[in-house]
Structure formats: C-alpha cells, structure tokens
Amino acid sequence: MMVDGVPYRTIWLAQEGEGAGWQVEIIDQTRLPHIFETVRLTNLDDAAHAIRAMLVRGAPLIGATAAYGVALAMRADTSDDALDQACETLLATRPTAVNLGWALAEMQAHLRNRPRDQRAAAAYARAVEICDEDVAICEGIGRNGLALFEDIWTAKGQQGRLNVLTHCNAGWLATVDWGTALAPIYMAHDGGIPVHVWVDETRPRNQGAALTAWELGKHGVPHTVIVDNAGGHLMQKGEVDLCITGTDRTAANGDVCNKIGTYLKALAAHDNGVPFYVALPGPTIDWEMPDGNAIPIEERDPAEVSCIEGRLADGTTAPVQLTPDASAAANYAFDVTPARLVTALVTERGVCAASTDGLANLYNKEKNA
Ligand code: MRU
C-alpha cells in the first residue's frame, strides 16, 4: 500500500547499506500514527523483540516476522540446536496468533533435512515466499469480501454510503500487504463504492485509533474513529451496514479469537440483525483446536491499561497515567467470538459458514493444503 505516494510492505529485505540483502526492515508500529519510522532487524533477538514489544503485530505479520527471525538466526548459526532455539524463542513471544506457530513449523519443515551450508539461503527464500503468499492470500480475501460488499450495497439501493464497522487493526499493517478485514474495504473504495468506516479505537493499545485510522487515511478512505462502546448505539440507529474484523486464531468449528472487544461487537450485531463477517487467511485456522474454549488468551502488562501514550502540545509523545496509583488493572488482549455469532467467514478460498463443515469443505479437509 502507499505511504505518501511511496509503495510499502510492512516487512522487507534491506536494499541498501551494509546489511543489504540480509537485514530485515520493518515499520515500527509503536511510533504510529505520529511518527513513520522504519527499523532494521539484524539478529534473532531483534526479531523476537519486534514481535514481543509489538513493533510488528497482527497475526499474519507476526508469522512473517518469525520466518525472517529464523533466517537471521540461521545466518549466525546453522546447527539443529540453533534452529530449535530460534523457534522456541520466537514461539514464546506472543501466545494467541496461530500464524506464529504455523510459520515456525513451515521453517522447520523447510530446513530440518537440509545440509547446513544451504540452510541460511533456504531460510531467507522460504521467508520471502511466506511474505509473497500472504500478499496473494490477502488479495484473495479482498476479492471475496468485495462480492459481499457489492451485494449489501445493491440491497441498500446504492443510497448514501456503505457503513462498515471494524475493530482493532486488520489492515495492511497487520499483514504483509492489503490486510484481511480491510482488503475488501480498499477494493470497494477503489471500485467506486462510497465506503465509510467506523473505526473502534480498540483500547488499550488503540490499534484502531492509531493504526487503522492512519492507514485508511493514507489511502483516502473516509472513516470516523469511535470509542469502543459506541458500536452498539450506532447499530441500533441503523448506522452500520456490516461489521468485518480479523481473527488471530480460528478454531476448527469456526469460533474466532480476535482482539478484546470483538465478542461484544458480534453480540450487538446479532441483536440488531447486522451481518458480522470475519476475514481470515488459511494459516489462521488451527485445525487442532476443536473450538475456541482452549485458545490461549494473551495477558499483557497492566500498564497498557493504566497508562496511555499520545502526542503532547509540543509535538513530542509521552505516556500519561489514567488510573489511581492504588488501582489494579488487568489486560486481557483477546476474546473468543462463538461461531453462532459470525454471519460468514471470508477467506482467500471463498466465503463459508463459520462451522466445521463450512471450513472443511472450503479447505477440502486437507488442512490448508
Ligand atoms: O494485538 P495485535 O495488534 O497483534 O492484534 C491484532 C488483531 O487482533 C487482528 O485483528 C488480527 O491479528 C487479525 S489481522 C490480520
């Protein structure tokens, strides 16, 4: 996607300087929306830190960064121990997005039986492929989601604007390019449908207010940031034509685990007869997880709840404390939306019911094959 006229992905191999061809560059998403800054990853620890501290985030991008993390590790040491250690370190960074484990399993399978002198090059090649595959997958999600948007726009008599509500950031910043939930939004906008997006701010880290708003703005998509609790009210007033979100892990029965607060939006959508779609790439399906109950829910630092970061009047950014010193805070980062509240899943292979049969038919029961 474009940033001020320059095409960007969220992760790429450095093209210039000493590390050209092997260092990995990312956009530091902790600095957005006020500062656009890229950072170079030069070793395994840099990659693990980037995921843990959320310089990169979003299920597909976490997977892509982990793949490059293995490549960086192989550049330093090609032994079996180094491969296992790298995968263990990266897997421990964040627990919920299954793309992380998926990408590491892909790297293990690709490298394990290779001679050591080929491992580093093979690791980079597979990491590049994983990124390119993600772009193609997200483009496919966009096309399949666009057909739904067109149907809803037609059913609305093509009057006014198409109001879409989204939660968190499931845009190009969460993937390598395009995004999952935002891919059909970009395609609809580019195709002339007057899309307007209600952007949930998504406390506590404000991925909606900081990231979704930023990337929609850069692409010229009309949008309005709302507090997380406003969605139900807007749905009651007929101001939301559809909801679409991403998912960090999709159970085999179609339950979806996404950013905290997604479940409440799905409940409100169900109560108001608003379609609630979830966009996902194949690698987000956890076929070993029969339903959402056992999905590990990340609990992050309570300071993310008690403090908030923003730009001060002098242009610098700083954290400020919101809560009393003595009050405890809890920071559950994800929740599970049961399949019964999901109108349909939008994948790169098509749109399907959020159910065991829906997913299994689409994926031919071959588990992502
Ligand atoms: O904690 P984050 O910012 O990594 O959470 C991201 C989300 O919840 C996204 O909605 C999800 O990864 C799907 S995006 C393609």
Side-chain angles (χ1 to χ4, degrees):
M1 304 297 281
M2 305 295 267
V3 179
D4 300 329
V6 180
Y8 272 92
R9 285 185 173 186
T10 52
I11 189 163
W12 64 94
L13 278 176
Q15 299 298 309
E16 286 164 11
E18 217 179 295
W22 67 270
Q23 290 183 356
V24 178
E25 254 179 295
I26 56 166
I27 298 166
D28 181 354
Q29 300 191 21
T30 63
R31 310 299 307 274
L32 291 172
H34 305 302
I35 297 166
F36 180 83
E37 192 172 89
T38 63
V39 168
R40 282 198 184 196
L41 313 178
T42 62
N43 55 41
L44 169 65
D45 287 345
D46 287 351
H49 169 75
I51 299 172
R52 200 182 301 112
M54 295 178 67
L55 281 70
V56 291
R57 27 67 52 203
L61 180 55
I62 289 171
T65 309
Y68 272 122
V70 172
L72 288 165
M74 289 295 95
R75 197 170 178 276
D77 180 350
T78 55
S79 66
D80 283 357
D81 278 356
L83 178 58
D84 291 342
Q85 184 58 46
C87 290
E88 204 177 303
T89 300
L90 290 160
L91 192 62
T93 51
R94 293 193 70 190
T96 303
V98 77
N99 306 56
L100 176 59
W102 172 86
L104 294 172
E106 287 287 310
M107 296 303 280
Q108 277 277 10
H110 194 65
L111 301 176
R112 174 63 65 188
N113 296 321
R114 260 175 216 277
R116 283 185 58 176
D117 63 349
Q118 295 177 10
R119 282 186 178 175
Y124 275 99
R126 185 67 190 118
V128 169
E129 263 174 23
I130 284 175
C131 290
D132 289 345
E133 285 164 13
D134 183 63
V135 178
I137 284 173
C138 288
E139 212 176 330
I141 292 171
R143 271 195 303 275
N144 292 326
L146 174 62
L148 292 173
F149 280 42
E150 286 169 342
D151 288 349
I152 295 172
W153 179 231
T154 302
K156 198 182 176 181
Q158 304 195 346
Q159 296 298 311
R161 60 189 193 181
L162 185 70
N163 283 306
V164 182
L165 184 142
T166 192
H167 192 68
C168 194
N169 172 263
W172 71 270
L173 288 170
T175 63
V176 178
D177 206 348
W178 281 108
T180 56
L182 295 200
I185 290 175
Y186 288 125
M187 289 186 190
H189 171 82
D190 292 350
I193 296 178
V195 184
H196 165 263
V197 187
W198 296 114
V199 179
D200 282 351
E201 61 176 348
T202 319
R203 282 279 290 144
R205 289 189 65 99
N206 295 310
Q207 288 94 330
L211 305 178
T212 300
W214 181 82
E215 61 161 275
L216 289 174
K218 288 288 172 198
H219 198 82
V221 180
H223 61 279
T224 306
V225 179
I226 51 174
V227 296
D228 289 326
N229 296 326
H233 167 74
L234 289 169
M235 291 183 216
Q236 286 175 327
K237 296 290 174 196
E239 292 290 337
V240 181
D241 296 309
L242 73 133
C243 302
I244 187 162
T245 73
T247 162
D248 283 77
R249 195 184 291 234
T250 308
N253 73 340
D255 289 352
V256 292
C257 181
N258 193 50
K259 182 55 54 194
I260 194 80
T262 302
Y263 170 51
L264 288 176
K265 294 301 137 65
L267 280 172
H270 190 255
D271 193 45
N272 288 282
V274 173
F276 189 91
Y277 296 108
V278 175
L280 63 126
T284 302
I285 305 166
D286 185 348
W287 297 101
E288 310 306 322
M289 192 67 69
D291 58 49
N293 288 326
I295 295 178
I297 302 294
E298 179 178 12
E299 288 182 48
R300 295 185 60 84
D301 187 346
E304 292 180 352
V305 174
S306 54
C307 295
I308 196 164
E309 173 120 8
R311 187 165 61 185
L312 306 178
D314 67 2
T316 58
T317 53
V320 293
Q321 185 175 329
L322 294 169
T323 56
D325 287 342
S327 296
N331 190 3
Y332 301 98
F334 296 92
D335 61 24
V336 172
T337 298
R340 67 186 161 77
L341 298 177
V342 178
T343 308
L345 299 173
V346 185
T347 81
E348 73 278 14
R349 300 212 177 168
V351 176
C352 71
S355 67
T356 307
D357 286 349
L359 277 173
N361 288 339
L362 208 51
Y363 285 85
N364 232 355
K365 300 197 174 183
E366 286 169 25
K367 306 189 174 177
N368 288 347

